[in-house]
């Protein structure tokens, strides 16, 4: 799939998700996770989506993104705090 096709698909999924489509939101989260799109996962997580938060933590952990984990931990996310603690202990 060409990059422009992926961008168009992402934009359409974002539009549908923002309009309240749970299926589009789930697909958007899956696509963002597969692409390593931390910004999209952060956007969805910050809007209160727990699945996006879980995927964001997983991706941040894989990428050793301490800043993102710290940001989530500072917002009270226990899982992010645990992952941050684990990574800093290594």
């Amino acid at each position: 799939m060409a990059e422009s096709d992926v961008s168009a698909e992402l934009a359409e999924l974002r539009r549908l998700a923002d309009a309240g489509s749970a299926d589009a939101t789930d697909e958007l989260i899956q696509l963002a996770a597969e692409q390593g799109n931390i910004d999209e996962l952060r956007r969805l997580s910050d809007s209160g989506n727990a699945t996006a938060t879980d995927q964001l933590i997983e991706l941040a952990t894989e990428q050793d993104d301490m800043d993102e984990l710290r940001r989530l931990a500072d917002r009270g996310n226990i899982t992010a705090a645990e992952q941050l603690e684990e990574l800093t202990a290594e």
Side-chain angles (χ1 to χ4, degrees):
M1 189 178 282
E3 187 175 331
S4 62
D5 293 339
V6 172
S7 295
E9 179 183 7
L10 187 63
E12 179 63 11
L13 284 172
R14 190 178 296 125
R15 185 188 70 73
L16 292 170
D18 289 348
S21 170
D23 289 340
T25 301
D26 291 344
E27 199 169 330
L28 183 58
I29 291 167
Q30 181 179 354
L31 183 63
E34 288 171 0
Q35 293 177 342
N37 187 338
I38 209 159
D39 292 331
E40 188 66 36
L41 290 172
R42 184 183 304 118
R43 185 183 80 80
L44 292 164
S45 172
D46 288 351
S47 71
N49 187 294
T51 304
T53 302
D54 291 343
Q55 288 295 315
L56 179 58
I57 291 168
E58 186 175 317
L59 186 60
T61 300
E62 288 172 5
Q63 295 179 354
D64 292 333
D65 187 339
M66 305 295 193
D67 291 336
E68 186 62 34
L69 291 170
R70 193 170 294 109
R71 185 184 78 84
L72 291 167
D74 288 347
R75 296 177 82 186
N77 188 291
I78 302 297
T79 305
E82 290 169 349
Q83 289 299 318
L84 184 61
E85 185 177 326
E86 204 173 292
L87 286 174
T88 56
E90 292 177 354

